[in-house]
Amino acid sequence: AAAAGAAEGGAPGAPPWFSAAPAAKTYELERAGFDVCALCGGAERLGAVVDVDASHPTEDVAKEVLDAVRAHGVIIVKGQSLSRAEQVAFTAALGEVVVLPHSFEGKDPEPLHPEIQRVTNFFANGTWKGPATKFGAYWHQDGQFWLPPRHNVLSVLHCQSAPPAGGETGFADLRAALATLSKPLRDRAALARIVASVRDIADFAKGDPEDLDKFPNASHAFIQPHALDGGPTLYVGSPHMVVEGLPTPEAGRDLLTMVLKHATSPSFTYFHAWQPGDLIVWDNTQTLHHSMPYDSSSPDVVRELYRTQARFVG
Protein backbone atom coordinates (compact mmCIF):
# COMPACT_ATOMS: atom_id res chain seq x y z
CA ALA A 1 0.00 0.00 0.00
CA ALA A 2 1.04 3.57 -0.60
CA ALA A 3 0.45 6.48 1.71
CA ALA A 4 -2.03 9.00 0.37
CA GLY A 5 -0.17 12.07 1.59
CA ALA A 6 -1.12 15.70 1.00
CA ALA A 7 0.44 17.99 -1.54
CA GLU A 8 1.72 20.56 0.92
CA GLY A 9 1.54 24.01 -0.59
CA GLY A 10 0.70 22.61 -4.01
CA ALA A 11 -1.58 24.17 -6.60
CA PRO A 12 -5.31 23.43 -6.26
CA GLY A 13 -5.14 20.99 -9.18
CA ALA A 14 -1.92 19.31 -8.09
CA PRO A 15 -1.68 15.61 -7.24
CA PRO A 16 -2.69 13.72 -5.30
CA TRP A 17 -5.84 15.72 -4.49
CA PHE A 18 -6.66 17.30 -7.88
CA SER A 19 -9.01 20.03 -6.53
CA ALA A 20 -10.34 18.04 -3.55
CA ALA A 21 -9.69 19.48 -0.14
CA PRO A 22 -7.45 16.95 1.69
CA ALA A 23 -9.09 14.53 4.10
CA ALA A 24 -8.95 15.23 7.83
CA LYS A 25 -7.05 11.94 8.29
CA THR A 26 -4.32 10.25 6.25
CA TYR A 27 -5.17 6.84 4.80
CA GLU A 28 -3.30 4.07 3.02
CA LEU A 29 -4.34 3.31 -0.54
CA GLU A 30 -5.37 -0.24 -1.39
CA ARG A 31 -2.96 -1.51 -4.07
CA ALA A 32 -2.05 -5.04 -5.12
CA GLY A 33 1.22 -3.85 -6.66
CA PHE A 34 2.24 -3.69 -10.31
CA ASP A 35 3.90 -7.11 -10.12
CA VAL A 36 0.46 -8.59 -9.38
CA CYS A 37 -1.74 -6.35 -11.52
CA ALA A 38 -0.05 -4.17 -14.12
CA LEU A 39 -3.08 -1.92 -14.72
CA CYS A 40 -4.73 -1.83 -11.30
CA GLY A 41 -3.06 0.99 -9.40
CA GLY A 42 -2.29 4.04 -11.52
CA ALA A 43 -4.64 6.47 -9.75
CA GLU A 44 -3.03 8.71 -7.11
CA ARG A 45 -6.12 9.35 -4.97
CA LEU A 46 -8.67 6.55 -5.31
CA GLY A 47 -9.07 3.57 -2.98
CA ALA A 48 -8.36 4.79 0.55
CA VAL A 49 -8.69 2.11 3.24
CA VAL A 50 -10.84 3.45 6.08
CA ASP A 51 -10.97 1.56 9.38
CA VAL A 52 -14.51 1.87 10.74
CA ASP A 53 -17.21 -0.54 11.90
CA ALA A 54 -20.01 -0.15 9.37
CA SER A 55 -22.38 -2.22 11.52
CA HIS A 56 -22.42 0.64 14.05
CA PRO A 57 -22.74 3.79 11.93
CA THR A 58 -22.42 6.43 14.61
CA GLU A 59 -22.33 10.12 13.79
CA ASP A 60 -18.53 10.05 14.01
CA VAL A 61 -18.33 7.06 11.64
CA ALA A 62 -20.58 8.77 9.11
CA LYS A 63 -18.58 12.00 9.35
CA GLU A 64 -15.30 10.20 8.73
CA VAL A 65 -16.66 8.17 5.81
CA LEU A 66 -18.19 11.22 4.14
CA ASP A 67 -14.97 13.22 4.49
CA ALA A 68 -12.80 10.37 3.24
CA VAL A 69 -14.95 9.61 0.20
CA ARG A 70 -15.17 13.31 -0.66
CA ALA A 71 -11.37 13.57 -0.59
CA HIS A 72 -10.53 10.21 -2.18
CA GLY A 73 -13.53 9.53 -4.42
CA VAL A 74 -13.46 5.82 -3.53
CA ILE A 75 -12.92 4.24 -0.11
CA ILE A 76 -12.69 0.62 1.08
CA VAL A 77 -13.84 -0.67 4.46
CA LYS A 78 -12.52 -4.20 4.97
CA GLY A 79 -13.72 -7.15 7.00
CA GLN A 80 -17.41 -6.25 7.17
CA SER A 81 -20.20 -8.82 7.45
CA LEU A 82 -23.35 -6.77 7.19
CA SER A 83 -26.90 -8.01 7.08
CA ARG A 84 -29.11 -6.34 4.49
CA ALA A 85 -30.72 -4.25 7.22
CA GLU A 86 -27.30 -3.20 8.55
CA GLN A 87 -26.18 -2.12 5.09
CA VAL A 88 -29.31 -0.01 4.68
CA ALA A 89 -28.72 1.55 8.13
CA PHE A 90 -25.10 2.36 7.25
CA THR A 91 -26.23 3.93 3.99
CA ALA A 92 -28.89 5.99 5.76
CA ALA A 93 -26.22 7.41 8.07
CA LEU A 94 -24.53 8.92 4.99
CA GLY A 95 -27.59 10.64 3.56
CA GLU A 96 -31.04 10.10 2.09
CA VAL A 97 -31.34 6.48 0.95
CA VAL A 98 -32.17 6.23 -2.75
CA VAL A 99 -34.97 3.81 -3.67
CA LEU A 100 -35.49 3.19 -7.38
CA PRO A 101 -38.85 2.17 -8.84
CA HIS A 102 -39.58 -1.52 -8.45
CA SER A 103 -39.62 -2.15 -12.19
CA PHE A 104 -36.03 -0.91 -12.51
CA GLU A 105 -34.86 -3.91 -10.48
CA GLY A 106 -35.77 -6.31 -13.29
CA LYS A 107 -36.66 -9.84 -12.23
CA ASP A 108 -34.43 -9.97 -9.16
CA PRO A 109 -35.55 -7.61 -6.39
CA GLU A 110 -34.10 -8.10 -2.92
CA PRO A 111 -36.85 -9.49 -0.67
CA LEU A 112 -37.96 -7.06 2.05
CA HIS A 113 -35.39 -4.41 1.07
CA PRO A 114 -36.34 -2.19 -1.90
CA GLU A 115 -33.28 -0.03 -1.09
CA ILE A 116 -30.93 -2.84 -2.19
CA GLN A 117 -29.95 -3.82 -5.71
CA ARG A 118 -28.65 -7.36 -6.10
CA VAL A 119 -25.40 -7.43 -8.11
CA THR A 120 -25.03 -11.18 -8.35
CA ASN A 121 -25.21 -14.07 -10.79
CA PHE A 122 -27.86 -15.85 -8.70
CA PHE A 123 -31.50 -14.92 -8.16
CA ALA A 124 -32.76 -14.38 -4.63
CA ASN A 125 -34.32 -17.86 -4.72
CA GLY A 126 -30.89 -19.43 -5.35
CA THR A 127 -31.34 -20.07 -9.09
CA TRP A 128 -28.30 -19.43 -11.30
CA LYS A 129 -28.87 -16.60 -13.77
CA GLY A 130 -26.69 -18.19 -16.43
CA PRO A 131 -23.38 -17.29 -18.06
CA ALA A 132 -24.47 -14.04 -19.73
CA THR A 133 -25.24 -12.02 -16.59
CA LYS A 134 -23.69 -8.55 -16.65
CA PHE A 135 -24.08 -5.43 -14.50
CA GLY A 136 -22.69 -2.04 -15.51
CA ALA A 137 -20.04 -3.46 -17.85
CA TYR A 138 -19.12 -0.04 -19.25
CA TRP A 139 -17.72 3.19 -17.80
CA HIS A 140 -20.49 5.22 -16.20
CA GLN A 141 -21.68 7.28 -13.24
CA ASP A 142 -24.70 6.24 -11.20
CA GLY A 143 -27.47 8.78 -10.84
CA GLN A 144 -26.91 10.95 -13.89
CA PHE A 145 -30.61 10.58 -14.73
CA TRP A 146 -31.58 12.54 -11.59
CA LEU A 147 -32.20 16.27 -11.95
CA PRO A 148 -29.60 18.38 -10.13
CA PRO A 149 -28.90 18.55 -7.25
CA ARG A 150 -30.39 15.09 -6.69
CA HIS A 151 -27.59 13.54 -8.77
CA ASN A 152 -25.23 13.92 -5.78
CA VAL A 153 -25.26 10.20 -5.02
CA LEU A 154 -22.89 7.88 -3.16
CA SER A 155 -22.93 4.18 -3.99
CA VAL A 156 -22.27 1.52 -1.35
CA LEU A 157 -21.31 -1.97 -2.57
CA HIS A 158 -20.83 -4.88 -0.16
CA CYS A 159 -19.19 -8.15 -1.20
CA GLN A 160 -20.38 -11.49 0.19
CA SER A 161 -18.76 -13.77 -2.42
CA ALA A 162 -16.20 -13.11 -5.15
CA PRO A 163 -14.91 -15.18 -8.09
CA PRO A 164 -11.36 -16.53 -7.77
CA ALA A 165 -10.20 -14.31 -10.65
CA GLY A 166 -11.65 -11.37 -12.53
CA GLY A 167 -14.87 -9.59 -11.60
CA GLU A 168 -13.07 -6.45 -10.42
CA THR A 169 -14.76 -3.07 -10.29
CA GLY A 170 -12.81 -0.33 -12.03
CA PHE A 171 -12.91 3.32 -10.97
CA ALA A 172 -11.71 6.44 -12.80
CA ASP A 173 -10.84 9.78 -11.18
CA LEU A 174 -12.76 12.62 -12.85
CA ARG A 175 -11.12 15.33 -10.73
CA ALA A 176 -7.68 14.19 -11.87
CA ALA A 177 -8.86 13.85 -15.45
CA LEU A 178 -10.09 17.45 -15.46
CA ALA A 179 -6.94 18.81 -13.80
CA THR A 180 -4.81 17.25 -16.55
CA LEU A 181 -7.11 17.93 -19.51
CA SER A 182 -5.51 20.02 -22.24
CA LYS A 183 -6.66 23.63 -22.56
CA PRO A 184 -8.36 23.13 -25.95
CA LEU A 185 -10.43 20.26 -24.60
CA ARG A 186 -11.13 22.02 -21.32
CA ASP A 187 -12.32 25.11 -23.18
CA ARG A 188 -14.74 22.97 -25.19
CA ALA A 189 -15.85 21.08 -22.10
CA ALA A 190 -16.65 24.38 -20.37
CA LEU A 191 -19.28 25.04 -23.04
CA ALA A 192 -20.89 21.62 -22.88
CA ARG A 193 -23.67 19.92 -20.97
CA ILE A 194 -24.69 16.27 -20.92
CA VAL A 195 -28.33 15.28 -21.22
CA ALA A 196 -29.24 11.97 -19.61
CA SER A 197 -32.37 9.97 -20.34
CA VAL A 198 -33.36 7.12 -18.06
CA ARG A 199 -34.57 5.32 -21.19
CA ASP A 200 -31.00 5.09 -22.49
CA ILE A 201 -29.72 3.18 -19.44
CA ALA A 202 -29.46 -0.52 -20.29
CA ASP A 203 -30.02 -1.70 -16.71
CA PHE A 204 -33.42 0.06 -16.69
CA ALA A 205 -34.46 -0.89 -20.23
CA LYS A 206 -37.38 -3.04 -19.07
CA GLY A 207 -38.78 -0.49 -16.64
CA ASP A 208 -42.51 0.14 -16.70
CA PRO A 209 -43.54 3.15 -18.83
CA GLU A 210 -45.18 4.84 -15.83
CA ASP A 211 -41.92 4.52 -13.87
CA LEU A 212 -39.81 5.80 -16.75
CA ASP A 213 -42.17 8.79 -17.08
CA LYS A 214 -41.26 9.89 -13.54
CA PHE A 215 -37.78 10.86 -14.77
CA PRO A 216 -37.59 13.81 -17.17
CA ASN A 217 -34.34 14.23 -19.08
CA ALA A 218 -31.63 15.59 -16.80
CA SER A 219 -29.10 18.21 -17.94
CA HIS A 220 -25.73 18.59 -16.20
CA ALA A 221 -22.75 20.85 -16.77
CA PHE A 222 -19.79 18.94 -18.23
CA ILE A 223 -17.55 20.73 -15.68
CA GLN A 224 -19.09 21.45 -12.29
CA PRO A 225 -18.04 22.23 -8.71
CA HIS A 226 -18.19 19.44 -6.18
CA ALA A 227 -21.14 19.97 -3.87
CA LEU A 228 -19.11 19.58 -0.65
CA ASP A 229 -15.81 21.37 -1.29
CA GLY A 230 -16.33 23.34 -4.51
CA GLY A 231 -13.40 21.75 -6.34
CA PRO A 232 -14.06 21.35 -10.07
CA THR A 233 -14.69 17.93 -11.58
CA LEU A 234 -15.84 16.46 -14.85
CA TYR A 235 -19.36 15.09 -15.02
CA VAL A 236 -19.73 12.96 -18.14
CA GLY A 237 -22.34 10.30 -17.28
CA SER A 238 -21.56 7.52 -19.74
CA PRO A 239 -20.87 7.01 -23.45
CA HIS A 240 -24.63 7.08 -24.08
CA MET A 241 -25.10 10.76 -23.17
CA VAL A 242 -26.27 13.47 -25.56
CA VAL A 243 -23.89 16.45 -25.39
CA GLU A 244 -25.29 19.94 -25.94
CA GLY A 245 -23.60 23.35 -26.14
CA LEU A 246 -21.22 22.69 -29.04
CA PRO A 247 -21.86 23.65 -32.69
CA THR A 248 -23.12 20.20 -33.73
CA PRO A 249 -24.24 16.94 -32.09
CA GLU A 250 -21.25 15.26 -33.74
CA ALA A 251 -18.89 17.70 -32.02
CA GLY A 252 -20.51 16.83 -28.71
CA ARG A 253 -20.10 13.11 -29.27
CA ASP A 254 -16.47 13.62 -30.28
CA LEU A 255 -15.77 15.61 -27.11
CA LEU A 256 -17.38 12.95 -24.92
CA THR A 257 -15.38 10.19 -26.63
CA MET A 258 -12.07 12.03 -26.22
CA VAL A 259 -12.70 12.93 -22.58
CA LEU A 260 -13.78 9.41 -21.66
CA LYS A 261 -10.65 7.99 -23.28
CA HIS A 262 -8.53 10.44 -21.29
CA ALA A 263 -10.35 9.89 -17.98
CA THR A 264 -10.16 6.10 -18.15
CA SER A 265 -6.46 5.90 -18.98
CA PRO A 266 -4.12 4.07 -16.55
CA SER A 267 -3.00 7.28 -14.80
CA PHE A 268 -6.47 7.82 -13.38
CA THR A 269 -7.87 4.33 -12.77
CA TYR A 270 -8.01 1.87 -9.88
CA PHE A 271 -9.41 -1.64 -10.26
CA HIS A 272 -10.59 -3.24 -7.04
CA ALA A 273 -10.15 -7.00 -6.69
CA TRP A 274 -13.00 -8.02 -4.41
CA GLN A 275 -12.64 -10.04 -1.22
CA PRO A 276 -15.61 -11.22 0.85
CA GLY A 277 -16.27 -8.61 3.52
CA ASP A 278 -15.16 -5.64 1.41
CA LEU A 279 -17.45 -2.60 1.57
CA ILE A 280 -16.74 0.13 -0.98
CA VAL A 281 -18.24 3.60 -0.94
CA TRP A 282 -17.75 5.86 -3.95
CA ASP A 283 -18.84 9.33 -4.96
CA ASN A 284 -20.53 9.24 -8.36
CA THR A 285 -20.09 12.95 -8.96
CA GLN A 286 -16.30 12.62 -9.18
CA THR A 287 -15.72 9.05 -10.40
CA LEU A 288 -16.68 6.64 -13.15
CA HIS A 289 -16.95 2.91 -12.51
CA HIS A 290 -16.97 -0.25 -14.64
CA SER A 291 -17.72 -3.89 -13.81
CA MET A 292 -15.04 -6.17 -15.24
CA PRO A 293 -15.58 -9.65 -16.72
CA TYR A 294 -14.91 -12.99 -15.04
CA ASP A 295 -15.44 -16.64 -15.91
CA SER A 296 -19.18 -16.94 -15.38
CA SER A 297 -19.64 -20.15 -17.37
CA SER A 298 -20.38 -22.28 -14.31
CA PRO A 299 -22.77 -21.95 -11.34
CA ASP A 300 -19.84 -22.99 -9.17
CA VAL A 301 -18.48 -19.45 -9.53
CA VAL A 302 -20.40 -17.00 -7.34
CA ARG A 303 -20.19 -13.20 -7.50
CA GLU A 304 -22.51 -11.82 -4.81
CA LEU A 305 -22.59 -8.12 -4.02
CA TYR A 306 -25.31 -5.80 -2.72
CA ARG A 307 -25.64 -2.14 -3.65
CA THR A 308 -27.30 0.72 -1.84
CA GLN A 309 -27.14 4.45 -2.50
CA ALA A 310 -27.29 7.64 -0.44
CA ARG A 311 -27.92 11.16 -1.64
CA PHE A 312 -25.44 13.39 0.20
CA VAL A 313 -26.79 16.70 -1.14
CA GLY A 314 -30.23 17.60 -2.47
Side-chain angles (χ1 to χ4, degrees), residues 76-144:
I76 302 109
V77 185
K78 292 176 168 292
Q80 305 300 297
S81 182
L82 302 182
S83 68
R84 307 293 179 269
E86 286 174 330
Q87 181 172 344
V88 172
F90 171 77
T91 306
L94 305 179
E96 174 197 354
V97 176
V98 176
V99 180
L100 293 172
H102 180 76
S103 69
F104 287 12
E105 301 301 324
K107 298 179 180 180
D108 190 27
E110 174 64 19
L112 306 178
H113 289 289
E115 310 93 338
I116 289 179
Q117 183 180 35
R118 296 172 51 80
V119 184
T120 172
N121 57 340
F122 282 79
F123 289 104
N125 65 7
T127 304
W128 183 43
K129 293 181 179 179
T133 301
K134 292 182 179 180
F135 297 92
Y138 59 96
W139 288 109
H140 65 287
Q141 291 166 277
D142 291 341
Q144 76 272 29

Side-chain angles (χ1 to χ4, degrees), residues 180-191 246 255 258-259:
T180 54
L181 198 63
S182 70
K183 186 177 185 305
L185 288 179
R186 185 166 183 146
D187 288 347
R188 289 180 75 76
L191 302 173
L246 297 184
L255 174 67
M258 288 185 286
V259 170

Side-chain angles (χ1 to χ4, degrees), residues 21-40:
K25 294 184 178 180
T26 298
Y27 302 99
E28 298 289 308
L29 299 185
E30 174 74 359
R31 295 292 184 267
F34 288 111
D35 55 334
V36 175
C37 181
L39 298 178
C40 287

